[in-house]
Amino acid sequence: MSFTDITFIARFLPIFLAVYYIAPNRWRDPILFIGSLIFYAFGEPRMVFMLLLLVIANYLMGRVLVKPRGVMEEGLPELDENGNIIIIPAVPEADHSAKRKAILILSVILDAGVLIFFKAGALIKPGQIMLPLGLSFYIFKMISYQADLYTGKIKFRPEFFRTAVYFTMFPQIMQGPIMRYSAGDFETAHGRIFSFSRFEEGLVQAVLGIGMKVLLADRIGILWNEITKIGYESISTPLAWMGAFAYTFQLYFDFWGYSLIASGLGMMLGFSEIINFDHPYAAKNIADFYRRWHATLGFWFRDYIYIPLGGSRVSKLKVIRNLLIVWAITGLWHGGTLNFLIWGLVLGIFIILEKFPLKKIEKRIPLLGHLAVWVIIPLTWVIFAIPNLHDLGVYFLRLFPLHGGSQIVAQNDWLILLKQYAPYFGASVFLCIPAVAKTIRKYSRNQIAIICFLILFWISMYFVVTQQSNSFMYFSF
């Protein structure tokens, strides 16, 4: 079951929201936890027990990492007579005791070990060992949770259902975003706001996300599928470039659409908005692109791998080493085949070039950075999309017809398909403009806008019911 399944939209979500809002506030965490397990069971019934064991294990290890004093038996802050929070910090037995360090290492070994086992197993024995849905995302949450407990970023003793909801809440368990427990929505009793205004804003985001996925990502993705069926050796250079941009926009609006739905559902449940995409194609260079693309994942790699390695506060050679390590891990996190490692390292090399030799040139001519985003990023997505290195080489010979690859197999193939897909390319470029999204947000409560959202929703539902919808692309990672 995914966010664009009619079962989720017409059955699970309305029933769950009714129960969630009718229940007293103290029951909402247990209800959300149980509802999230039910949601997960629709997609991964065999893995629910493993997920539950990981939740319990991480909660118990977290209790050892931080032992608060005071009267916070439920893990929530006490209030004074005026209703203000009395902050009673968690005080470990010893800030860096051997026991706490051992528990932290044990928790990371457990969580990372499970992730590596399934990632490697799915690669070595495909069909026999399947990668559980959402595994990478909830494992990353668990690792960051333990690290934040150890460093004291989480200031209150974890309470079971609040922690379990953080790990498993259904708007995020499949593809993120990777929220932080210490960000405020989970750690304090006042992290959530239940209001019609927030619910309405979340609903608008969810409708926009469904529209992006069903009406744009799935439709333009058909072009990439057609090119794959034709065979890379049989397409012209113009069609190869069209295919690169088709996959670029398919991935972008698939995952942006998912992120909007996830954030919108979270807001409907009372949580704060999470901005996982900040108009990456308006970025000033490739490094800036990845600060804006899947931002919560980028922050995770920065805070828990790059900075512990020394970040940018070390020598130039060590900075280069740190960047290559982070991008190699980023590539392998997305997939175990060699093309993902190449994809990560290629991006790392470009970011290193931007950071050092090209920095002054980019400052003098900012347009070069913007051009790099629109030319190099689609080319790297081709590496991302094609796991077979021979096929990848063939595709790049079509993109750059050199050394015997200059033969145009079908000169007009791109013209025929461009007529069919031009509206989708036009809509994709239009929605990449930051001013468009800002305008939609600004007028989202206008009566005409509300009518447009209703029309968008029902058109999307028509496609959901009458045409087969592809699963979200990040389900594979």
Side-chain angles (χ1 to χ4, degrees):
M1 181 167 62
S2 75
F3 295 156
T4 54
D5 286 345
I6 196 66
T7 300
F8 174 80
I9 296 170
R11 297 186 180 94
F12 176 86
L13 186 60
I15 293 171
F16 175 82
L17 287 175
V19 174
Y20 183 76
Y21 270 92
I22 290 172
N25 189 54
R26 67 180 182 276
W27 288 105
R28 283 177 177 161
D29 278 341
I31 289 169
L32 182 50
F33 177 50
I34 294 168
S36 297
L37 292 180
I38 293 171
F39 172 83
Y40 192 77
F42 272 94
E44 287 283 17
R46 295 175 299 172
M47 296 297 175
V48 173
F49 185 64
M50 185 192 76
L51 173 61
L52 191 56
L53 285 178
L54 284 171
V55 168
I56 294 170
N58 276 273
Y59 169 72
L60 293 175
M61 286 186 289
R63 296 281 288 191
V64 177
L65 280 175
V66 173
K67 291 184 177 180
R69 63 189 177 192
V71 293
M72 295 182 294
E73 291 302 320
E74 299 303 319
L76 301 178
E78 293 293 306
L79 304 180
D80 62 19
E81 58 184 9
N82 298 317
N84 298 316
I85 298 174
I86 303 173
I87 298 179
I88 307 175
V91 180
E93 293 174 339
D95 286 344
H96 300 285
S97 68
K99 181 180 179 181
R100 294 181 65 243
K101 193 172 291 186
I103 290 294
L104 176 66
I105 293 171
L106 178 63
S107 67
V108 172
I109 290 173
L110 171 66
D111 295 332
V114 170
L115 180 61
I116 292 169
F117 171 80
F118 281 101
K119 285 268 190 180
L123 186 65
I124 297 169
K125 296 183 177 181
Q128 297 182 40
I129 297 178
M130 304 296 293
L131 188 66
L133 289 175
L135 178 69
S136 299
F137 294 94
Y138 62 73
I139 287 292
F140 272 25
K141 276 189 174 183
M142 291 170 178
I143 292 174
S144 68
Y145 170 79
Q146 302 295 356
D148 287 353
L149 281 170
Y150 183 77
T151 58
K153 291 180 181 177
I154 298 175
K155 295 179 171 48
F156 299 100
R157 186 179 66 186
E159 189 269 339
F160 176 74
F161 281 114
R162 183 63 56 94
T163 305
V165 164
Y166 167 69
F167 292 146
T168 64
M169 62 181 291
F170 70 85
Q172 299 176 8
I173 193 168
M174 295 298 192
Q175 290 183 224
I178 304 171
M179 287 179 69
R180 304 292 176 83
Y181 187 93
S182 56
D185 283 328
F186 287 93
E187 193 173 12
T188 71
H190 301 280
R192 288 175 234 179
I193 298 174
F194 300 97
S195 68
F196 178 77
S197 175
R198 179 170 284 194
F199 187 95
E200 182 184 27
E201 190 176 349
L203 183 60
V204 167
Q205 285 200 17
V207 169
L208 286 172
I210 292 171
M212 284 183 183
K213 162 63 177 171
V214 174
L215 303 181
L216 192 51
D218 285 355
R219 305 281 77 77
I220 202 169
I222 295 172
L223 174 56
W224 178 255
N225 292 336
E226 287 188 26
I227 290 173
T228 302
K229 289 176 182 177
I230 292 169
Y232 305 140
E233 70 282 349
S234 303
I235 61 175
S236 67
T237 293
L239 183 55
W241 280 94
M242 280 178 57
F245 278 95
Y247 185 82
T248 293
F249 289 134
Q250 179 191 11
L251 184 61
Y252 179 53
F253 289 104
D254 182 281
F255 199 37
W256 189 18
Y258 173 90
S259 295
L260 283 174
I261 299 170
S263 177
L265 290 172
M267 294 173 74
M268 292 164 70
L269 297 176
F271 294 93
S272 303
E273 178 184 5
I274 303 173
I275 299 175
N276 207 27
F277 279 76
D278 186 15
H279 308 293
Y281 285 100
K284 62 183 180 180
N285 55 33
I286 293 172
D288 188 36
F289 178 91
Y290 279 100
R291 281 189 287 269
R292 296 163 175 256
W293 171 281
H294 202 348
T296 58
L297 178 65
F299 293 150
W300 195 97
F301 279 112
R302 180 198 67 188
D303 293 346
Y304 300 105
I305 298 179
Y306 183 66
I307 291 176
L309 285 171
S312 299
R313 297 169 295 176
V314 291
S315 67
K316 185 182 292 187
L317 283 177
K318 288 185 177 179
V319 170
I320 292 171
R321 177 205 65 185
N322 295 345
L323 286 169
L324 288 176
I325 289 173
V326 167
W327 280 101
I329 294 172
T330 301
L332 291 172
W333 177 82
H334 282 87
T337 50
L338 189 56
N339 67 303
F340 287 107
L341 179 61
I342 294 171
W343 169 78
L345 289 174
V346 165
L347 285 169
I349 289 168
F350 274 114
I351 289 170
I352 290 166
L353 291 173
E354 288 179 346
K355 191 174 184 66
F356 297 113
L358 300 179
K359 189 173 183 178
K360 292 181 180 179
I361 298 173
E362 197 177 88
K363 281 186 177 180
R364 287 199 299 265
I365 314 173
L367 181 61
L368 290 177
H370 293 290
L371 288 174
V373 168
W374 281 93
V375 175
I376 293 174
I377 292 296
L379 293 177
T380 60
W381 286 137
V382 172
I383 302 172
F384 188 90
I386 303 175
N388 184 286
L389 296 188
H390 175 265
D391 291 342
L392 184 60
V394 170
Y395 201 97
F396 268 87
L397 283 175
R398 289 302 173 205
L399 289 166
F400 303 98
L402 305 171
H403 303 296
S406 60
Q407 179 186 4
I408 300 294
V409 179
Q411 294 186 14
N412 295 323
D413 57 357
W414 68 279
L415 281 173
I416 296 168
L417 290 168
L418 182 61
K419 292 177 183 177
Q420 181 179 351
Y421 289 96
Y424 300 111
F425 281 110
S428 298
V429 173
F430 181 69
L431 288 172
C432 283
I433 300 171
V436 174
K438 290 178 182 177
T439 302
I440 292 172
R441 282 184 76 100
K442 183 178 179 180
Y443 295 103
S444 61
R445 296 185 181 180
N446 180 281
Q447 289 184 350
I448 295 175
I450 291 172
I451 293 171
C452 290
F453 291 137
L454 285 171
I455 293 171
L456 175 65
F457 175 75
W458 287 114
I459 293 174
S460 300
M461 288 304 96
Y462 172 81
F463 276 85
V464 167
V465 173
T466 61
Q467 299 192 26
Q468 184 177 1
S469 178
N470 300 319
S471 62
F472 287 96
M473 297 174 76
Y474 261 68
F475 276 176
S476 305
F477 308 134

